Amino acid sequence: MTTATSPRDLAHPARDEIRLEGVLHALSDPMRLRVVRELAATGAEVSCSSIELPVTKSTTTHHFRVLREAGVIRQTYRGTAKMNGLRRDALDALFPGLLDTVLSAAEGQAARLNAP
């Protein structure tokens, strides 16, 4: 894991440190999966506050930290905002098709649960 050199630098695992079990654990929580789905749909970096979760701010921070530490997202500070981007290139290189399969399954599940 890259270490933070200042409070504004956040530690992220290097690509070769990302582990399948960590990624699967991070994606197993509905709130974290929701964050990943929104980042994938956006295709760009977004601030933490632009992704609304029905949980407290501290719980939201926890979910983003789990995703970052698993190597699913990259977080960087831009001014006062913490920006989040999906590490799609790293995940696709390490686990080909995993992210697309999970996102597709999540979409299908959401459609089933919201169907009349």
Side-chain angles (χ1 to χ4, degrees):
M1 172 134 355
T2 59
T3 56
T5 57
S6 78
R8 301 213 26 104
D9 287 335
L10 300 165
H12 297 84
R15 189 166 103 168
D16 64 339
E17 295 174 324
I18 297 172
R19 299 289 176 250
L20 179 60
E21 58 273 17
V23 171
L24 292 175
H25 169 74
L27 296 174
S28 70
D29 182 273
M31 291 299 112
R32 293 192 291 264
L33 184 56
R34 183 172 171 173
V35 169
V36 170
R37 289 181 69 201
E38 290 195 32
L39 289 173
T42 303
E45 288 186 335
V46 298
S47 67
C48 294
S49 61
S50 70
I51 299 177
E52 293 185 31
L53 299 177
V55 296
T56 64
K57 185 176 178 181
S58 63
T59 302
T60 298
T61 300
H62 166 74
H63 287 311
F64 277 98
R65 182 179 51 80
V66 170
L67 289 167
R68 177 176 45 83
E69 290 178 352
V72 176
I73 66 170
R74 177 165 301 281
Q75 292 185 304
T76 54
Y77 279 103
R78 300 265 163 62
T80 59
K82 192 184 293 181
M83 302 301 289
N84 304 277
L86 194 56
R87 291 183 68 180
R88 182 178 279 279
D89 291 345
L91 295 173
D92 287 345
L94 293 167
F95 316 112
L98 175 68
L99 188 58
D100 288 332
T101 300
V102 168
L103 291 169
S104 177
E107 184 177 322
Q109 176 175 282
R112 282 191 318 278
L113 295 176
N114 293 326

